[in-house]
Amino acid sequence: MNAFGLIDRYLARHVLVSTLAVWAVLVGFDAIAAFAQELESVGKGNYSISHAALYIFFTIPRRLYVVFPYVAVIGSLLGLGGLAARSELTAMRASGVSRLRIGLGALIALGMLTVLMMINMESVAPASEQHSQSIANEGKSNKVIMARYSGMWARDGRMFMNARSGGEKMLGNTLTIELQDVRLFEINDDGKLVSLTNAKTATRVEKGWQLTGVERTDFKPAEVSVTRQPEWFWPSDLDKRALESALLRGRYMSSKELLTNINYLQRNKLDAEKFVSTYWERWFYPINVFALCLATLPFAFSSLRSGGFGKRLFYGIVIGISFLLLQRLFVDLANVYRFDVRIALALPPITLMALSVFLFRRLR
Protein backbone atom coordinates (compact mmCIF):
# COMPACT_ATOMS: atom_id res chain seq x y z
CA MET A 1 0.00 0.00 0.00
CA ASN A 2 2.90 2.39 0.78
CA ALA A 3 4.36 1.73 -2.66
CA PHE A 4 1.03 2.35 -4.32
CA GLY A 5 0.61 5.59 -2.30
CA LEU A 6 4.04 6.71 -3.46
CA ILE A 7 3.09 5.97 -7.07
CA ASP A 8 -0.15 7.94 -6.67
CA ARG A 9 1.78 10.97 -5.43
CA TYR A 10 4.36 10.59 -8.17
CA LEU A 11 1.69 10.48 -10.89
CA ALA A 12 -0.23 13.37 -9.34
CA ARG A 13 2.91 15.51 -9.12
CA HIS A 14 3.84 14.96 -12.78
CA VAL A 15 0.32 15.69 -14.01
CA LEU A 16 0.09 18.75 -11.71
CA VAL A 17 3.38 20.23 -12.99
CA SER A 18 2.36 19.71 -16.63
CA THR A 19 -1.11 21.16 -16.01
CA LEU A 20 0.19 24.26 -14.23
CA ALA A 21 2.68 24.91 -17.05
CA VAL A 22 -0.02 24.59 -19.71
CA TRP A 23 -2.36 26.75 -17.60
CA ALA A 24 0.18 29.55 -17.32
CA VAL A 25 0.82 29.54 -21.07
CA LEU A 26 -2.85 29.49 -22.15
CA VAL A 27 -4.04 32.09 -19.63
CA GLY A 28 -1.01 34.25 -20.44
CA PHE A 29 -1.74 34.21 -24.17
CA ASP A 30 -5.44 34.82 -23.52
CA ALA A 31 -4.71 37.80 -21.26
CA ILE A 32 -2.18 39.31 -23.68
CA ALA A 33 -4.62 39.00 -26.59
CA ALA A 34 -7.40 40.58 -24.50
CA PHE A 35 -5.08 43.41 -23.41
CA ALA A 36 -4.15 44.11 -27.04
CA GLN A 37 -7.83 44.31 -27.89
CA GLU A 38 -8.50 46.65 -24.95
CA LEU A 39 -5.82 49.03 -26.23
CA GLU A 40 -8.22 49.95 -29.05
CA SER A 41 -10.51 51.51 -26.41
CA VAL A 42 -7.75 53.59 -24.81
CA GLY A 43 -8.61 57.28 -25.18
CA LYS A 44 -12.36 56.67 -25.15
CA GLY A 45 -13.70 58.83 -22.32
CA ASN A 46 -11.25 58.56 -19.42
CA TYR A 47 -10.13 55.06 -20.38
CA SER A 48 -6.34 54.76 -20.12
CA ILE A 49 -3.70 52.04 -20.37
CA SER A 50 -3.81 51.63 -16.59
CA HIS A 51 -7.59 51.07 -16.81
CA ALA A 52 -7.00 48.41 -19.47
CA ALA A 53 -4.30 46.70 -17.38
CA LEU A 54 -6.49 46.69 -14.27
CA TYR A 55 -9.45 45.41 -16.28
CA ILE A 56 -7.41 42.44 -17.60
CA PHE A 57 -5.90 41.77 -14.16
CA PHE A 58 -9.31 41.43 -12.51
CA THR A 59 -10.52 39.06 -15.25
CA ILE A 60 -7.74 36.54 -14.52
CA PRO A 61 -9.82 34.44 -12.03
CA ARG A 62 -12.57 34.06 -14.63
CA ARG A 63 -10.06 33.19 -17.37
CA LEU A 64 -8.50 30.52 -15.14
CA TYR A 65 -11.92 28.90 -14.75
CA VAL A 66 -12.88 29.10 -18.43
CA VAL A 67 -9.70 27.54 -19.87
CA PHE A 68 -9.28 24.87 -17.20
CA PRO A 69 -11.12 22.05 -19.07
CA TYR A 70 -8.75 22.53 -22.04
CA VAL A 71 -5.80 22.76 -19.65
CA ALA A 72 -6.82 19.53 -17.88
CA VAL A 73 -6.88 17.60 -21.17
CA ILE A 74 -3.53 18.87 -22.43
CA GLY A 75 -1.86 18.75 -19.01
CA SER A 76 -2.89 15.14 -18.31
CA LEU A 77 -1.79 14.04 -21.78
CA LEU A 78 1.59 15.74 -21.42
CA GLY A 79 2.11 14.43 -17.89
CA LEU A 80 1.23 10.82 -18.69
CA GLY A 81 2.90 11.09 -22.08
CA GLY A 82 6.19 12.10 -20.48
CA LEU A 83 6.04 9.07 -18.17
CA ALA A 84 5.17 6.78 -21.09
CA ALA A 85 8.05 8.15 -23.20
CA ARG A 86 10.50 7.27 -20.40
CA SER A 87 8.91 3.81 -20.02
CA GLU A 88 7.86 4.64 -16.45
CA LEU A 89 4.29 3.56 -17.10
CA THR A 90 5.68 0.24 -18.37
CA ALA A 91 7.66 -0.16 -15.13
CA MET A 92 4.55 0.58 -13.07
CA ARG A 93 2.54 -2.00 -14.99
CA ALA A 94 5.34 -4.55 -14.56
CA SER A 95 5.32 -3.95 -10.79
CA GLY A 96 1.66 -4.94 -10.65
CA VAL A 97 -0.02 -1.53 -10.68
CA SER A 98 -3.21 -1.70 -12.73
CA ARG A 99 -4.10 0.74 -15.48
CA LEU A 100 -7.11 1.84 -13.44
CA ARG A 101 -4.90 2.63 -10.44
CA ILE A 102 -2.52 4.63 -12.64
CA GLY A 103 -5.44 6.51 -14.14
CA LEU A 104 -6.91 7.35 -10.71
CA GLY A 105 -3.51 8.52 -9.49
CA ALA A 106 -3.24 10.86 -12.46
CA LEU A 107 -6.72 12.25 -11.79
CA ILE A 108 -5.99 13.19 -8.16
CA ALA A 109 -4.26 16.46 -9.03
CA LEU A 110 -6.88 17.39 -11.61
CA GLY A 111 -9.64 16.65 -9.10
CA MET A 112 -8.11 19.04 -6.58
CA LEU A 113 -7.74 21.76 -9.21
CA THR A 114 -11.34 21.24 -10.31
CA VAL A 115 -12.60 21.77 -6.76
CA LEU A 116 -10.41 24.87 -6.50
CA MET A 117 -11.88 26.29 -9.71
CA MET A 118 -15.45 25.65 -8.53
CA ILE A 119 -14.73 27.52 -5.29
CA ASN A 120 -13.09 30.27 -7.33
CA MET A 121 -16.18 30.69 -9.53
CA GLU A 122 -18.46 30.88 -6.51
CA SER A 123 -16.42 33.48 -4.65
CA VAL A 124 -13.41 35.26 -6.16
CA ALA A 125 -14.26 35.26 -9.87
CA PRO A 126 -17.75 36.88 -9.73
CA ALA A 127 -16.61 39.73 -7.49
CA SER A 128 -13.42 40.22 -9.50
CA GLU A 129 -15.26 40.13 -12.83
CA GLN A 130 -17.88 42.64 -11.71
CA HIS A 131 -15.12 44.92 -10.46
CA SER A 132 -13.35 44.67 -13.82
CA GLN A 133 -16.59 45.61 -15.60
CA SER A 134 -17.02 48.58 -13.29
CA ILE A 135 -13.50 49.76 -14.17
CA ALA A 136 -14.14 49.39 -17.91
CA ASN A 137 -17.61 50.95 -17.93
CA GLU A 138 -16.69 53.83 -15.64
CA GLY A 139 -13.56 54.60 -17.65
CA LYS A 140 -15.20 54.38 -21.08
CA SER A 141 -18.57 56.02 -20.47
CA ASN A 142 -18.51 57.24 -16.84
CA LYS A 143 -22.18 56.24 -16.74
CA VAL A 144 -22.63 52.61 -15.70
CA ILE A 145 -21.48 50.85 -12.56
CA MET A 146 -22.52 47.32 -11.56
CA ALA A 147 -22.71 46.84 -7.81
CA ARG A 148 -22.81 43.32 -6.49
CA TYR A 149 -25.48 43.81 -3.84
CA SER A 150 -27.29 47.06 -4.71
CA GLY A 151 -27.87 46.27 -8.38
CA MET A 152 -27.00 48.43 -11.34
CA TRP A 153 -26.25 52.13 -11.02
CA ALA A 154 -26.22 54.34 -14.10
CA ARG A 155 -25.86 58.06 -14.66
CA ASP A 156 -27.22 60.27 -17.42
CA GLY A 157 -26.52 63.91 -16.71
CA ARG A 158 -28.34 64.88 -13.53
CA MET A 159 -30.26 61.59 -13.39
CA PHE A 160 -29.00 58.56 -11.49
CA MET A 161 -30.75 55.24 -12.09
CA ASN A 162 -30.68 52.21 -9.82
CA ALA A 163 -32.19 48.84 -10.82
CA ARG A 164 -32.21 45.74 -8.64
CA SER A 165 -32.25 43.32 -11.55
CA GLY A 166 -32.95 43.04 -15.26
CA GLY A 167 -32.82 40.91 -18.35
CA GLU A 168 -33.67 40.59 -22.01
CA LYS A 169 -37.21 40.88 -23.34
CA MET A 170 -38.85 40.68 -26.77
CA LEU A 171 -40.58 43.96 -27.61
CA GLY A 172 -42.40 43.29 -30.87
CA ASN A 173 -39.68 41.82 -33.07
CA THR A 174 -36.84 43.55 -31.20
CA LEU A 175 -34.77 42.19 -28.33
CA THR A 176 -34.44 44.88 -25.66
CA ILE A 177 -33.65 45.29 -21.96
CA GLU A 178 -36.19 45.37 -19.13
CA LEU A 179 -35.18 46.47 -15.63
CA GLN A 180 -37.11 45.75 -12.43
CA ASP A 181 -37.44 47.73 -9.17
CA VAL A 182 -36.14 50.96 -10.69
CA ARG A 183 -35.36 54.21 -8.90
CA LEU A 184 -34.43 57.51 -10.58
CA PHE A 185 -32.68 60.21 -8.55
CA GLU A 186 -32.58 63.72 -10.00
CA ILE A 187 -29.79 65.88 -8.54
CA ASN A 188 -29.36 69.62 -9.11
CA ASP A 189 -26.08 71.49 -9.59
CA ASP A 190 -25.72 71.96 -5.82
CA GLY A 191 -25.90 68.19 -5.24
CA LYS A 192 -29.37 68.33 -3.69
CA LEU A 193 -32.09 65.78 -4.44
CA VAL A 194 -34.76 67.34 -6.67
CA SER A 195 -36.96 64.31 -7.33
CA LEU A 196 -37.19 60.58 -6.69
CA THR A 197 -39.03 58.32 -9.12
CA ASN A 198 -39.89 54.71 -8.29
CA ALA A 199 -41.06 52.32 -11.01
CA LYS A 200 -41.87 48.63 -11.16
CA THR A 201 -40.24 48.20 -14.58
CA ALA A 202 -38.25 50.22 -17.11
CA THR A 203 -38.05 49.00 -20.71
CA ARG A 204 -35.46 50.29 -23.14
CA VAL A 205 -37.18 51.84 -26.18
CA GLU A 206 -36.07 54.20 -28.90
CA LYS A 207 -34.60 57.41 -27.43
CA GLY A 208 -35.26 56.47 -23.84
CA TRP A 209 -37.02 54.28 -21.28
CA GLN A 210 -40.70 53.43 -20.81
CA LEU A 211 -41.49 53.14 -17.09
CA THR A 212 -44.55 51.43 -15.57
CA GLY A 213 -46.07 51.60 -12.10
CA VAL A 214 -44.55 55.03 -11.52
CA GLU A 215 -44.51 57.01 -8.29
CA ARG A 216 -42.71 60.37 -8.45
CA THR A 217 -41.76 62.47 -5.42
CA ASP A 218 -40.74 66.11 -6.02
CA PHE A 219 -38.78 67.89 -3.31
CA LYS A 220 -39.56 71.61 -3.41
CA PRO A 221 -38.29 74.29 -0.98
CA ALA A 222 -41.62 74.56 0.82
CA GLU A 223 -43.30 71.24 0.15
CA VAL A 224 -43.02 67.64 -1.03
CA SER A 225 -45.46 66.45 -3.68
CA VAL A 226 -46.18 62.88 -4.74
CA THR A 227 -47.74 61.89 -8.07
CA ARG A 228 -48.63 58.44 -9.36
CA GLN A 229 -49.20 57.35 -12.93
CA PRO A 230 -49.32 53.98 -14.73
CA GLU A 231 -46.68 54.92 -17.31
CA TRP A 232 -44.02 57.56 -17.88
CA PHE A 233 -41.39 58.06 -20.59
CA TRP A 234 -37.86 59.04 -19.58
CA PRO A 235 -35.77 60.40 -22.48
CA SER A 236 -32.22 59.12 -22.07
CA ASP A 237 -29.17 58.33 -24.18
CA LEU A 238 -27.66 55.77 -21.79
CA ASP A 239 -25.36 53.51 -23.79
CA LYS A 240 -27.31 50.29 -24.49
CA ARG A 241 -24.16 48.20 -24.93
CA ALA A 242 -22.79 49.33 -21.59
CA LEU A 243 -26.05 48.36 -19.90
CA GLU A 244 -26.01 44.95 -21.60
CA SER A 245 -22.44 44.45 -20.45
CA ALA A 246 -23.42 45.24 -16.87
CA LEU A 247 -26.71 43.33 -16.76
CA LEU A 248 -26.40 40.29 -18.96
CA ARG A 249 -23.16 38.74 -17.70
CA GLY A 250 -24.87 35.89 -15.89
CA ARG A 251 -21.96 33.63 -16.82
CA TYR A 252 -19.87 35.48 -14.22
CA MET A 253 -22.32 35.36 -11.31
CA SER A 254 -22.17 32.91 -8.43
CA SER A 255 -24.65 30.03 -8.43
CA LYS A 256 -26.62 31.67 -5.61
CA GLU A 257 -26.92 34.92 -7.59
CA LEU A 258 -27.89 33.00 -10.72
CA LEU A 259 -30.63 31.14 -8.86
CA THR A 260 -31.98 34.40 -7.40
CA ASN A 261 -32.15 35.94 -10.88
CA ILE A 262 -33.77 32.82 -12.36
CA ASN A 263 -36.51 32.80 -9.71
CA TYR A 264 -37.19 36.51 -10.20
CA LEU A 265 -37.34 36.31 -14.00
CA GLN A 266 -39.53 33.23 -14.01
CA ARG A 267 -41.87 34.79 -11.45
CA ASN A 268 -42.29 37.78 -13.71
CA LYS A 269 -42.57 35.65 -16.88
CA LEU A 270 -39.35 36.99 -18.40
CA ASP A 271 -36.79 35.01 -20.41
CA ALA A 272 -34.43 33.23 -17.97
CA GLU A 273 -32.94 30.66 -20.38
CA LYS A 274 -29.43 32.14 -20.42
CA PHE A 275 -29.28 32.16 -16.64
CA VAL A 276 -30.70 28.62 -16.44
CA SER A 277 -28.09 27.34 -18.92
CA THR A 278 -25.27 29.01 -17.01
CA TYR A 279 -26.55 27.69 -13.68
CA TRP A 280 -26.59 24.08 -14.84
CA GLU A 281 -23.25 24.45 -16.63
CA ARG A 282 -21.74 25.07 -13.18
CA TRP A 283 -23.02 21.72 -11.93
CA PHE A 284 -21.79 19.89 -15.01
CA TYR A 285 -18.36 21.55 -14.92
CA PRO A 286 -16.64 18.85 -12.79
CA ILE A 287 -18.38 16.12 -14.79
CA ASN A 288 -17.02 17.61 -18.02
CA VAL A 289 -13.49 17.81 -16.64
CA PHE A 290 -13.67 14.20 -15.42
CA ALA A 291 -15.00 12.98 -18.78
CA LEU A 292 -12.27 14.80 -20.70
CA CYS A 293 -9.49 13.54 -18.43
CA LEU A 294 -10.86 10.00 -18.62
CA ALA A 295 -10.71 10.28 -22.39
CA THR A 296 -6.95 10.95 -22.25
CA LEU A 297 -6.13 7.63 -20.56
CA PRO A 298 -6.49 5.37 -23.65
CA PHE A 299 -4.17 7.72 -25.57
CA ALA A 300 -1.53 7.56 -22.84
CA PHE A 301 -1.61 3.77 -22.43
CA SER A 302 -1.74 3.07 -26.15
CA SER A 303 1.69 4.65 -26.47
CA LEU A 304 3.07 1.74 -24.44
CA ARG A 305 2.64 -0.55 -27.46
CA SER A 306 3.83 1.74 -30.22
CA GLY A 307 5.32 5.14 -30.95
CA GLY A 308 3.75 8.28 -32.28
CA PHE A 309 2.66 9.85 -29.03
CA GLY A 310 2.68 13.30 -30.63
CA LYS A 311 0.01 12.10 -33.02
CA ARG A 312 -2.05 10.71 -30.15
CA LEU A 313 -1.58 13.97 -28.25
CA PHE A 314 -3.00 15.83 -31.24
CA TYR A 315 -5.99 13.47 -31.39
CA GLY A 316 -6.60 13.91 -27.67
CA ILE A 317 -6.59 17.71 -27.92
CA VAL A 318 -8.95 17.56 -30.90
CA ILE A 319 -11.33 15.33 -28.94
CA GLY A 320 -11.28 17.71 -25.98
CA ILE A 321 -11.97 20.83 -28.02
CA SER A 322 -14.58 19.06 -30.14
CA PHE A 323 -16.33 17.87 -26.98
CA LEU A 324 -16.64 21.37 -25.56
CA LEU A 325 -17.79 22.84 -28.88
CA LEU A 326 -20.35 20.05 -29.29
CA GLN A 327 -21.71 20.65 -25.81
CA ARG A 328 -22.03 24.37 -26.51
CA LEU A 329 -23.91 23.52 -29.72
CA PHE A 330 -26.30 21.25 -27.80
CA VAL A 331 -26.94 23.99 -25.22
CA ASP A 332 -27.71 26.52 -27.96
CA LEU A 333 -30.09 24.03 -29.58
CA ALA A 334 -31.78 23.49 -26.21
CA ASN A 335 -32.31 27.25 -25.88
CA VAL A 336 -33.70 27.50 -29.42
CA TYR A 337 -35.99 24.46 -29.33
CA ARG A 338 -36.84 24.79 -25.63
CA PHE A 339 -35.93 21.33 -24.37
CA ASP A 340 -34.30 20.67 -21.00
CA VAL A 341 -30.78 22.10 -21.00
CA ARG A 342 -29.67 19.37 -18.58
CA ILE A 343 -30.15 16.81 -21.35
CA ALA A 344 -27.98 18.90 -23.67
CA LEU A 345 -25.28 19.18 -21.01
CA ALA A 346 -25.38 15.49 -20.07
CA LEU A 347 -25.26 13.87 -23.52
CA PRO A 348 -21.65 14.80 -24.49
CA PRO A 349 -19.95 13.69 -21.21
CA ILE A 350 -21.97 10.47 -21.04
CA THR A 351 -21.08 9.64 -24.63
CA LEU A 352 -17.41 10.50 -24.12
CA MET A 353 -17.16 8.47 -20.91
CA ALA A 354 -18.78 5.45 -22.57
CA LEU A 355 -16.34 5.71 -25.49
CA SER A 356 -13.40 6.10 -23.10
CA VAL A 357 -14.39 3.00 -21.09
CA PHE A 358 -14.78 1.02 -24.32
CA LEU A 359 -11.31 2.05 -25.56
CA PHE A 360 -9.78 1.51 -22.12
CA ARG A 361 -11.08 -2.07 -21.96
CA ARG A 362 -9.67 -2.83 -25.39
CA LEU A 363 -6.15 -2.06 -24.22
CA ARG A 364 -3.93 -5.07 -23.65
Side-chain angles (χ1 to χ4, degrees), residues 141-145 152-163 182-189 191-199 202 208-209 211 214-219 232-239 243:
S141 67
N142 200 28
K143 287 184 177 180
V144 179
I145 300 175
M152 184 205 73
W153 285 90
R155 178 183 180 182
D156 187 8
R158 296 181 178 181
M159 300 292 287
F160 292 82
M161 179 172 68
N162 172 238
V182 178
R183 292 180 294 171
L184 295 176
F185 302 87
E186 184 179 0
I187 310 295
N188 64 16
D189 294 334
K192 295 181 180 179
L193 182 64
V194 176
S195 68
L196 169 62
T197 303
N198 292 285
W209 295 83
L211 281 67
V214 180
E215 179 182 281
R216 180 183 173 90
T217 304
D218 291 290
F219 300 92
W232 180 63
F233 177 75
W234 173 42
S236 171
D237 62 350
L238 278 176
D239 183 46
L243 288 171

Side-chain angles (χ1 to χ4, degrees), residues 134-264:
S134 295
I135 292 172
N137 290 326
E138 191 174 4
K140 291 176 183 178
S141 67
N142 200 28
K143 287 184 177 180
V144 179
I145 300 175
M146 190 65 182
R148 187 174 185 186
Y149 298 108
S150 60
M152 184 205 73
W153 285 90
R155 178 183 180 182
D156 187 8
R158 296 181 178 181
M159 300 292 287
F160 292 82
M161 179 172 68
N162 172 238
R164 291 291 179 179
S165 61
E168 292 180 328
K169 176 185 178 181
M170 290 301 298
L171 186 63
N173 296 322
T174 305
L175 190 63
T176 187
I177 295 174
E178 181 175 277
L179 308 177
Q180 292 85 35
D181 296 335
V182 178
R183 292 180 294 171
L184 295 176
F185 302 87
E186 184 179 0
I187 310 295
N188 64 16
D189 294 334
D190 297 328
K192 295 181 180 179
L193 182 64
V194 176
S195 68
L196 169 62
T197 303
N198 292 285
K200 290 183 178 180
T201 65
T203 305
R204 175 74 187 185
V205 295
E206 187 177 359
K207 297 182 180 180
W209 295 83
Q210 188 67 42
L211 281 67
T212 63
V214 180
E215 179 182 281
R216 180 183 173 90
T217 304
D218 291 290
F219 300 92
K220 300 177 182 179
E223 63 176 340
V224 176
S225 62
V226 179
T227 57
R228 295 179 178 85
Q229 53 192 107
E231 292 186 349
W232 180 63
F233 177 75
W234 173 42
S236 171
D237 62 350
L238 278 176
D239 183 46
K240 182 173 181 290
R241 286 178 295 180
L243 288 171
E244 288 174 342
S245 176
L247 284 168
L248 304 178
R249 301 184 73 85
R251 193 172 296 277
Y252 311 134
M253 294 179 180
S254 68
S255 294
K256 183 179 180 180
E257 291 169 329
L258 283 170
L259 196 56
T260 300
N261 277 275
I262 290 168
N263 291 335
Y264 188 94

Side-chain angles (χ1 to χ4, degrees), residues 314-350:
F314 171 77
Y315 287 155
I317 294 173
V318 168
I319 286 177
I321 295 175
S322 300
F323 164 82
L324 294 171
L325 292 176
L326 184 64
Q327 189 176 59
R328 173 50 49 193
L329 174 62
F330 282 3
V331 170
D332 291 340
L333 289 174
N335 290 332
V336 171
Y337 294 103
R338 302 292 180 179
F339 63 87
D340 197 328
V341 71
R342 288 170 292 187
I343 298 175
L345 289 167
L347 282 175
I350 290 174

Side-chain angles (χ1 to χ4, degrees), residues 4 29 46 107 171 267 333:
F4 283 170
F29 277 124
N46 297 321
L107 293 175
L171 186 63
R267 244 187 353 258
L333 289 174

